[in-house]
Amino acid sequence: MRQNARGVLCTLLGGSCWGFSAACGQYLFMNYQLDASWITVMRMLGAGITLLIVTFFSQRENFTGIWREPRDRIQLVFFGICGLMFSQFTFLTAISHSNAGTATVLQYLGPVLVMILVCFGGRRLPRGKEVVSIFLAVLGTFLLATHGNPATMVLTQKGLFWGLLSAVSLAMYTLLPARLLPRWGSMVVTGFGMLIGGILLACVVQVWSIPVALDVKGWLAVGGMVVVGTILAYTLYLQGVGDIGSVRASMLASIEPVSATVLSVVWLHTSFLLMDLLGFVCILATVFLLAKKKEE
């Protein structure tokens, strides 16, 4: 019972930390007009370096072993770029064009996309709860974008575009490391992936040439995204997975958009209407439906 309680608590805290990270991103966009690519690079490099320092001392064999296998090296680089970098950048860009709560909820369309890809790969039609999940995902997105009136767009086109793209990136982030994670461990794979993606993006956008003017509060928000929203969130979530299993953990981690929305309202004074909240509920319901299906 103690292990179960610890797992539940760690998972909820981990998901809340991810929501806090999204709110920090919105705070930076609102008050400092930062470039999404700059924040992405700082977050990925900061988290990647920290995770690799930890794994260097705690998982030395995996730390070096992953680079000895040619196939795994290629897949790791691909995951760092097309999985982690793509996911981080599209998510933060979605926040910059909407808000932390909406962007986080739209990203949670990712599991539905994964399910559709699995059906396509298995050459079968969606069944039962899968059909309901697709319907709820489409309905939730429709409510967020139009508030139920197809003649109007309340969510900006860029906000909707980048939010949907972040869902695609989340699906890729979920599928790409499937073979690497059991073999080398999630901390090693994520640490190197963060570092690879962060270095590449830094070079592509020439991050050193992007003007940045941050005060103490701004740097604290950046630090919060790296330490609390990435390293601590990731560590707590992994502990939760170890204690209660991936299915229950994935369901409980859906507190992330809830915490992002609450912080967005309380801290950043973002307003949401009833239709927004109904859209949130529809999309988040898909997480529970799909997770329940796995459990069965």
Side-chain angles (χ1 to χ4, degrees):
M1 290 184 66
R2 287 181 179 178
Q3 179 177 329
N4 183 71
R6 182 182 64 187
V8 170
L9 180 61
C10 286
T11 305
L12 290 174
L13 287 175
S16 298
C17 287
W18 275 320
F20 173 74
S21 176
C24 285
Q26 183 180 339
Y27 173 81
L28 289 168
F29 288 126
M30 288 174 57
N31 295 282
Y32 301 97
Q33 293 76 49
L34 289 177
D35 189 282
S37 59
W38 185 89
I39 302 178
T40 304
V41 169
M42 294 301 108
R43 183 181 188 183
M44 293 189 74
L45 291 181
I49 291 171
T50 304
L51 285 172
L52 289 178
I53 290 173
V54 173
T55 55
F56 178 78
F57 292 103
S58 61
Q59 303 177 34
R60 186 73 62 88
E61 274 190 38
N62 289 348
F63 184 91
T64 56
I66 194 170
W67 293 103
R68 299 194 191 106
E69 301 288 338
R71 184 183 174 189
D72 290 348
R73 286 200 301 265
I74 294 172
Q75 191 170 353
L76 178 61
V77 171
F78 194 65
F79 169 62
I81 297 170
C82 298
L84 281 169
M85 186 186 77
F86 186 41
S87 174
Q88 297 286 328
F89 178 72
T90 54
F91 177 57
L92 285 168
T93 305
I95 292 176
S96 72
H97 291 295
S98 55
N99 57 71
T102 301
T104 307
V105 169
L106 286 175
Q107 191 183 47
Y108 266 70
L109 291 168
V112 178
L113 296 179
V114 172
M115 180 269 295
I116 293 173
L117 288 173
V118 169
C119 291
F120 182 78
R123 296 182 180 181
R124 67 173 179 83
L125 293 174
R127 307 171 187 138
K129 292 177 182 178
E130 295 172 339
V131 174
V132 176
S133 296
I134 294 172
F135 171 76
L136 288 174
V138 173
L139 176 61
T141 305
F142 172 73
L143 291 176
L144 284 178
T146 67
H147 282 178
N149 184 356
T152 63
M153 277 286 290
V154 294
L155 182 63
T156 67
Q157 291 183 358
K158 288 184 177 180
L160 180 60
F161 172 78
W162 285 103
L164 294 177
L165 202 57
S166 72
V168 173
S169 70
L170 181 64
M172 294 178 65
Y173 167 80
T174 303
L175 295 172
L176 285 175
R179 196 179 67 85
L180 294 176
L181 292 175
R183 187 170 187 185
W184 304 110
S186 52
M187 290 187 71
V188 169
V189 173
T190 303
F192 277 119
M194 286 275 189
L195 186 64
I196 292 167
I199 290 174
L200 178 65
L201 184 61
C203 294
V204 170
V205 302
Q206 297 183 343
V207 70
W208 53 86
S209 66
I210 297 176
V212 176
L214 293 177
D215 55 17
V216 175
K217 290 183 180 178
W219 283 112
L220 284 175
V222 173
M225 293 185 72
V226 173
V227 178
V228 178
T230 307
I231 299 168
L232 184 60
Y234 179 75
T235 304
L236 287 168
Y237 179 71
L238 280 182
Q239 180 64 53
V241 170
D243 286 339
I244 62 176
S246 59
V247 174
R248 289 186 66 197
S250 65
M251 293 174 68
L252 291 171
S254 61
I255 195 174
E256 175 189 354
V258 177
S259 65
T261 301
V262 170
L263 286 170
S264 189
V265 171
V266 175
W267 177 23
L268 305 173
H269 309 295
T270 305
S271 59
F272 294 98
L273 301 180
L274 177 60
M275 285 296 182
D276 294 313
L277 300 179
L278 288 175
F280 288 2
V281 170
C282 287
I283 292 174
L284 293 180
T286 65
V287 178
F288 289 86
L289 281 173
L290 295 176
K292 187 67 175 176
K293 184 176 182 301
K294 282 183 187 177
E295 194 172 33
E296 293 169 352

